[in-house]
Amino acid sequence: MKRIVEPAKEIPVAEECDICIIGGSCTGVFAAVRAARLGAKVVVIEKMNSFGGVATQGLVNYWHSQYDTEFKKQIAAGMSLEVVERLGKRNAVAEIKECPHKAFMFNSEELKIELDEVVTEHKNIVPFLHTHFAAPFVEDGKLKAVFVENKDGRQAIKAKVFIDASGDGDLAFRMGVPFVLDDFLQPPTTCAKIRNLCPEGVNYYETVKAHYEEFGLEKDCGWSGEIPGCKDIRMYAETHVFNTNASDARQLTNAEIKGRRQTRAIMDIFRKYAPSENMILLSLASYIGIRETRRFAGEYRLTEEDVLEGKSFDDTIANGSYRVDVHNKENGGFLFKYLDGRQENFTFFGMEKGRWRPERKVNPTYYQIPYRTMVNRKVDNLIFAGRTVSTDKAAFGAVRVMINLNQTGEAAGVAAFQALDSGKKVCDINITKLRETLKSGGSILL
Ligand SMILES: Cc1cc2nc3c(=O)[nH]c(=O)nc-3n(C[C@H](O)[C@H](O)[C@H](O)COP(=O)(O)OP(=O)(O)OC[C@H]3O[C@@H](n4cnc5c(N)ncnc54)[C@H](O)[C@@H]3O)c2cc1C
């Protein structure tokens, strides 16, 4: 690649703060709120026009269960529950009683407004929307600021501690935190809200199976779900853009275009072979939903065995019960591995049941995420939260759902405050105090 030299120039410092967070999904927002509630001045940088990430801009409107796999023991609460309660006051969330592991479906548009409220209620949070993290500023070997780009041009945000909640780990990447980028990455999906796509009495999968080739689609399948109060509107996540590395600019561009074309093709199948009078594309996700890109190396890498055997850790900051769920490389669908040894593989061709291990009398009912998956000694003052936490591929398949990642956000906020308050490196904070502070702020720690 040809190179040119960018001339050096002075950059205005837009804000000086205690903690700077890159990325404003619930992960980033919850980190900001937990740190602000402890007294820190926090800046959140979000490149889109709202908070919420995949849950709002990506249209993905399901949070899974806050209970263990038997629905007996509550294993999570904190800000996820706070936000669910707030949405409840506006009829913008519904509990899914018939499928308790799915737990909550919400209205993504209402969540955008609710997160605005949550952020602006905290006067010591300075939000920046439409603001893109561009590069880190390192002086004397220490991360001192980040450069951002927005309507005001290029600016710097100075902070003492940083949280990377950007999904792809853009800051961690630029700081040289080691990562792996697998040859097979779980494929991304363009989500869409469509009214009356599949008329009553018509089988969605049989219709798509019969005609996918005519409309240039591959063998594929995913899932769809309702939106509270909108019986005729569903959120579709039925296709995948296979073989995509969404952390590569050109591949991401192609995936966006292909993902939208897939949505049109699905609609065209129904237009031709099972038309309904008032089928309408109501909205497309603002960006393609990215499942997996770089997996960073933390001080500990959570493994498939840790998850499926429910290993407990002294530095646990989150609990989860969502199964291992890895979207397939081809033929659509996903491979589920449950904590009780069952396995299900959904593909274009149907569903195969089996076991990944023999039956046992006693099974784990939840797993844990340790704080050490969120830090790497390479950078003293950087915590990663959200899908940047350190896991192996299969563990990532379980950890990556929002009910889990929201907890990592909360933990990052509290840990960042503690590092600031104690003057310690993020790797060396007092874990007992971290867990106690999380608990007293509403988190469940087991
Ligand atoms: C199609 C699909 C369906 C899914 N279904 C479910 C489901 O039903 N339930 C569930 O719980 N999970 C589901 N998941 C998984 C889950 O949604 C994601 O793993 C999770 O949202 C990741 O959260 P995050 O906070 O790490 O990242 P994100 O939600 O991606 O948030 C990252 C934020 O950082 C911002 N950002 C990124 N780069 C920059 C930058 N350089 N500068 C400034 N801001 C930046 C982004 O705009 C975004 O707001 C699904 C994922 C996909 C893709």
Side-chain angles (χ1 to χ4, degrees), residues 21-28 44-64 102 104 106 128 130-135 147-149 164-171 187-191 223 235-240 287-292 322 325 327 385-389 396 399-406 408:
I21 300 169
I22 315 297
S25 66
C26 286
T27 308
V44 191
I45 296 162
E46 168 54 50
K47 68 178 176 177
M48 302 300 288
N49 75 334
S50 83
F51 298 109
V54 175
T56 55
Q57 301 282 347
L59 302 183
V60 174
N61 62 326
Y62 283 81
W63 281 352
H64 293 94
K102 258 191 175 168
F104 299 110
F106 52 83
F128 280 95
H130 290 291
T131 300
H132 210 290
F133 158 77
F147 294 118
V148 298
E149 297 271 358
D164 188 338
S166 67
D168 291 331
D170 289 355
L171 175 57
T189 293
T190 296
C191 295
W223 61 276
M235 200 294 283
Y236 288 88
E238 288 284 7
T239 59
H240 297 87
Y287 51 75
I288 191 164
I290 299 167
R291 290 197 170 79
E292 181 181 8
Y322 187 72
D325 163 3
H327 283 239
R387 70 175 168 85
T388 42
V389 298
F396 177 75
V399 164
R400 69 187 182 88
V401 292
M402 294 181 269
I403 198 69
N404 295 343
L405 301 184
N406 292 349
T408 68

Side-chain angles (χ1 to χ4, degrees), residues 118-140:
V118 168
V119 167
T120 52
E121 277 164 15
H122 295 85
K123 299 302 167 209
N124 46 343
I125 300 180
V126 183
F128 280 95
L129 295 174
H130 290 291
T131 300
H132 210 290
F133 158 77
F137 173 70
V138 178
E139 199 177 48
D140 302 326

